[in-house]
Amino acid sequence: MTIGIDKIGFATSQYVLKLQDLANARGVDPEKYTKGLLLEEISIAPLTEDIVTLAASAGNSILTEEEKQEIDMVIVATESGIDQSKAAAVFVHGLLGIQPFARSFEIKEACYGATAALHYAKLHVENSPTSKVLVLASDIAKYGINAPGEPTQGSGSIAMLITQNPRILSFNDDNVAQTRDINDFWRPNYSITPFVNGIYSTQQYLDCLQTTWEEYKKRFNWTLNDFVAVCFHLPYPKLALKGFNKLLGDSLSQEKQELLQKHFDASIVYSNRVGNIYTGSLFLGLLSLLENAETLKAGDRIALFSYGSGAVSEFFSVELVEGYEKYLDKDRIKVLDKRKALSVQEYEKVFYEETHLDDSGSAKFSSYEDQEYALVEILEHHRYYSKVEK
Ligand code: CAA
């Protein structure tokens, strides 16, 4: 039985900050962002857009009404959860109208969470072949005004439907994971922004990449020659480029190197304009590759490197299936063009916006016209979401 991604979709928030504007405001050479980090823009989310609304939008963009009645598991992977107890997946299950006899829960390990969710989904379908699992990787990356990570913020959600006989790609049985107990990036419960050992985190990312890859090659006897592309976790594309260059040590023909480079470039098109979406960013890279590369075909094998601070990393691979291109959206870039650009002043206002609850623990929100789903009210500490009627 083959199991894999049957459908994949993406949603991001309604606002965008151009990094040229941020660079000017922070007195930084804009090329530090465009060339030093390989980022042009980052998506910014207001209070009414959170991981639930983004996940619901991403999910709704790929699901038919029939599929909503067939899904029996909803997993939200996130490191920007909105409740310590109730899973974001429960809210999304309700918003999408998924049939009631489903298991819904949240999963966390920094940017690695969605990879663990995919593996769990695969095991579930192996056990129960007619099942369909909705995996949502949803995050808002928020580092802080003037923080070193400020230009690498972002927000968005990737939705993936996992089934048997998938129409886009199948998983190979070749996962190799690694865990190290380190403090490179973490967010205690009392803080809305993470603590980051920036340079150390980049060193750990690259070292986990190298060591996990070496173990992968040893276990499976595959080299880069067996793949047409490698997708990376993308905290910012330049770090992935450094990782990509490290892997090129294998003996590769000039032609193969050029193909891998072309596919790497295709894999960073979306992240370059969205920023870091934490656990979804590897899969935004995969989506970007599938929708922007011109030379992919059925049977091609793609390697994926997942990294979540703390840290857990994993290498695994997937294989494209016949007709995969029919289930993609080659015009997706238009979604990014539609976002409203914020001035730096407006972005800072959105950044500092907080929910002010009254004595009963309630607050109402009103400015959510440009969203598909919105957080509309908190009533006695309960969050209420709704599809926005246009
Ligand atoms: N023109 C072109 N390039 C320039 C430039 C200019 N005028 N000025 C600087 N640069 C280059 C630098 O040379 C550097 O490139 P190299 O890495 O190739 O040397 C790059 O721009 C970045 O500049 P700095 O080294 O001065 O670093 P910084 O102060 O901007 O901080 C960072 C970089 C530490 C990564 C920071 O963005 C950060 O803290 N980010 C958040 C943490 C993060 O993303 N870590 C990644 C690994 S952890 C992970 O993957 C999980 C996750 O998602 C968070």
Side-chain angles (χ1 to χ4, degrees):
M1 182 191 354
T2 58
I3 299 172
I5 300 179
D6 187 58
K7 286 186 168 179
I8 180 167
F10 169 63
T12 190
S13 49
Q14 61 190 295
Y15 298 135
V16 62
L17 177 65
K18 295 191 184 302
L19 291 186
Q20 168 91 38
D21 295 341
L22 184 68
N24 292 340
R26 301 287 178 255
V28 168
D29 178 355
E31 292 202 340
K32 174 170 180 184
Y33 299 159
T34 54
K35 296 197 170 139
L37 302 174
L38 291 178
L39 285 169
E40 296 281 342
E41 303 173 343
I42 53 177
S43 284
I44 302 293
L47 271 185
T48 52
E49 279 188 310
D50 64 14
I51 58 156
V52 169
T53 68
L54 293 171
S57 271
N60 201 41
S61 74
I62 59 167
L63 298 177
T64 61
E65 286 311 310
E66 198 183 345
E67 284 160 343
K68 290 177 187 175
Q69 299 316 308
E70 292 168 340
I71 288 169
D72 68 350
M73 190 182 289
V74 182
I75 314 176
V76 171
T78 187
E79 58 178 295
S80 33
I82 41 95
D83 193 293
Q84 291 288 358
S85 173
K86 183 170 175 177
V90 174
F91 290 103
V92 179
H93 171 277
L95 279 170
L96 292 180
I98 307 254
Q99 62 86 20
F101 298 101
R103 190 179 279 138
S104 302
F105 57 96
E106 197 167 298
I107 212 164
K108 176 182 71 180
E109 172 22 47
C111 304
Y112 169 76
T115 301
L118 285 187
H119 195 61
Y120 192 85
K122 175 174 165 245
L123 295 176
H124 178 69
V125 176
E126 250 164 35
N127 265 332
S128 166
T130 56
S131 289
K132 296 190 177 196
V133 182
L134 179 62
V135 171
L136 300 148
S138 198
D139 266 312
I140 296 181
K142 211 169 165 180
Y143 284 94
I145 303 295
N146 256 316
E150 187 180 29
T152 72
Q153 299 175 121
S155 55
S157 182
I158 289 280
M160 292 173 274
L161 187 64
I162 310 306
T163 66
Q164 68 168 332
N165 301 325
R167 287 171 285 185
I168 296 181
L169 55 81
S170 59
F171 298 132
N172 291 323
D173 254 335
D174 60 350
N175 304 53
V176 174
Q178 177 178 178
T179 297
R180 323 183 151 172
D181 184 0
I182 54 167
N183 297 313
D184 60 332
F185 170 110
W186 67 104
R187 184 166 70 83
N189 290 343
Y190 48 79
S191 178
I192 59 158
T193 52
F195 291 79
V196 190
N197 286 325
I199 299 301
Y200 176 65
S201 73
T202 62
Q203 292 161 346
Q204 286 295 326
Y205 173 105
L206 293 173
D207 195 61
C208 283
L209 169 70
Q210 188 89 54
T211 49
T212 315
W213 173 239
E214 291 305 326
E215 184 63 23
Y216 179 86
K217 284 194 294 186
K218 218 167 24 178
R219 289 194 199 179
F220 294 100
N221 212 14
W222 278 352
T223 70
L224 270 195
N225 274 310
D226 295 297
F227 300 101
V228 300
V230 186
C231 291
F232 296 82
H233 167 51
L234 294 164
Y236 53 95
K238 180 69 177 295
L239 184 59
L241 179 60
K242 286 186 185 180
F244 174 66
N245 287 332
K246 264 181 180 284
L247 297 189
L248 291 181
D250 286 336
S251 53
L252 296 171
S253 66
Q254 182 73 15
E255 196 189 353
K256 184 74 180 187
Q257 287 215 20
E258 282 168 14
L259 180 76
L260 290 169
Q261 182 67 55
K262 221 164 48 169
H263 287 163
F264 176 84
D265 295 344
S267 77
I268 62 170
V269 171
Y270 295 159
S271 289
N272 172 267
R273 298 193 53 193
V274 172
N276 193 357
I277 59 166
Y278 288 158
T279 193
S281 81
L282 166 62
F283 303 100
L284 184 59
L286 174 66
L287 184 66
S288 185
L289 170 73
L290 299 181
E291 294 184 340
N292 293 290
E294 282 156 12
T295 45
L296 290 174
K297 57 181 188 323
D300 279 350
R301 240 187 253 140
I302 299 165
L304 292 99
F305 172 66
S306 180
Y307 178 83
S309 290
V312 180
S313 55
E314 185 159 326
F315 248 102
F316 63 107
S317 77
V318 298
E319 208 162 301
L320 294 178
V321 303
E322 202 63 54
Y324 76 93
E325 64 282 351
K326 284 188 274 188
Y327 301 95
L328 299 170
D329 177 2
K330 298 266 182 183
D331 276 339
R332 194 177 302 276
I333 210 83
K334 286 188 187 147
V335 175
L336 302 182
D337 294 338
K338 270 198 211 137
R339 292 167 301 173
K340 178 178 182 254
L342 297 180
S343 67
V344 173
Q345 216 178 13
E346 288 167 328
Y347 144 70
E348 289 181 357
K349 188 165 169 267
V350 169
F351 186 97
Y352 286 121
E353 240 164 22
E354 279 178 22
T355 303
H356 296 288
L357 298 178
D358 66 17
D359 289 345
S360 71
S362 306
K364 255 192 188 321
F365 304 94
S366 54
S367 53
Y368 43 75
E369 298 79 21
D370 295 327
Q371 308 168 216
E372 192 181 2
Y373 292 89
L375 171 67
V376 292
E377 185 173 17
I378 297 177
L379 188 61
E380 295 176 355
H381 304 286
H382 299 281
R383 294 171 86 85
Y384 287 94
Y385 293 91
S386 173
K387 194 161 201 298
V388 178
E389 299 305 330
K390 305 265 170 185

